[in-house]
Amino acid sequence: MILISFVKGKVADISENSLVVENGGIGYEIYMTGQDLRKARVGEEKKINTFLYVREDILQLYGFFSKDDLGMFRLLLGVNGVGPKGALGILSGISADELRFAVLSDDVKTLSRAPGIGKKTAQKLILELKDKLKLEDAFEKKLMHEQENADLNDTDFHDGRQEAVEALTALGYSSSEALKAVHKVTDVDPGDVEAILKAALKQL
């Protein structure tokens, strides 16, 4: 069984449903949600967590910037009748956090917001996923995501630190990883981008 857990490289092309990442002279087409595609720019270096879908007549890569989203995608694939395109569609319509809480609270209405998900499929998702999810984990992950977003919104760098954050995200680190690393750099001139970047990379 071939396993490609992530692909890291330069974004060569972006289409409506997928992007192409070039790595080692090979272009990998990766299907992603619209939310993730909007976070990518041609020419940027990106790391994408991937799932390789294998059938007799097809090999397709599905990817997410967040490992949490990838984990929920894998869970959705375990539901009878939900294929990779359906699972990707669900995560395009509602977030991983919303999905967890909707399943745990029998919220058919929220699940039905996802493209292609009717009432019957929503009920099936609840039935098959409820035992695989825990309320404590759902709250923990939601709090973690809220904290990451707060860190992003609280950042008000107007000097070399902002450029260092942008450089780190271009290298493939997540925004939250880049911000945390740059926040820890306190003994460097805020205008010296190169020095901040070197110090932040040591943190990572």
Side-chain angles (χ1 to χ4, degrees):
M1 175 61 140
I2 304 166
L3 184 67
I4 302 174
S5 59
F6 70 86
V7 175
K8 188 175 180 180
K10 192 173 283 187
V11 178
D13 189 34
I14 302 173
S15 67
E16 188 181 347
N17 303 311
S18 65
L19 54 71
V20 176
V21 173
E22 183 187 344
N23 179 294
I26 299 170
Y28 295 89
E29 183 177 19
I30 304 170
Y31 291 90
M32 303 182 76
T33 63
Q35 297 95 303
D36 274 349
L37 288 172
R38 285 191 288 275
K39 295 175 188 173
R41 298 284 181 274
V42 172
E44 280 184 342
E45 186 93 8
K46 287 289 186 184
K47 177 182 175 182
I48 302 170
N49 302 292
T50 54
F51 176 86
L52 180 63
Y53 178 64
V54 183
R55 254 187 20 205
E56 283 181 21
D57 56 341
I58 203 163
L59 284 175
Q60 287 176 328
L61 274 173
Y62 290 82
F64 303 88
F65 290 126
S66 158
K67 283 187 177 179
D68 184 34
D69 287 346
L70 176 62
M72 289 307 296
F73 178 78
R74 287 175 178 275
L75 265 184
L76 287 166
L77 289 182
V79 176
N80 189 29
V82 176
K85 286 185 179 175
L88 196 68
I90 292 168
L91 289 168
S92 294
I94 56 177
S95 70
D97 285 325
E98 288 175 316
L99 176 60
R100 270 189 286 269
F101 282 109
V103 168
L104 288 164
S105 60
D106 297 333
D107 186 351
V108 171
K109 189 178 178 183
T110 294
L111 291 171
S112 300
R113 277 184 9 221
I117 300 298
K119 189 178 178 183
K120 282 188 178 177
T121 308
Q123 288 169 335
K124 185 192 285 187
L125 288 173
I126 291 167
L127 186 68
E128 296 196 29
L129 292 180
K130 201 164 187 178
D131 290 343
K132 297 176 183 176
L133 298 170
K134 291 180 180 175
L135 196 57
E136 299 83 8
D137 291 343
F139 275 115
E140 197 175 300
K141 285 191 168 77
K142 185 168 175 61
L143 283 169
M144 184 178 73
H145 296 152
E146 284 175 353
Q147 184 57 51
E148 285 174 0
N149 291 332
D151 288 345
L152 287 176
N153 294 333
D154 287 346
T155 303
D156 196 22
F157 296 146
H158 296 290
D159 48 33
R161 290 176 294 176
Q162 179 60 42
E163 286 183 51
V165 169
E166 288 168 5
L168 288 169
T169 52
L171 287 169
Y173 294 101
S174 71
S175 297
S176 58
E177 286 173 332
L179 281 167
K180 283 172 189 170
V182 171
H183 265 300
K184 289 176 184 174
V185 178
T186 55
D187 55 349
V188 174
D189 177 0
D192 191 340
V193 180
E194 192 177 339
I196 295 167
L197 196 53
K198 283 179 181 175
L201 282 167
K202 286 178 184 174
Q203 300 285 350
L204 291 160

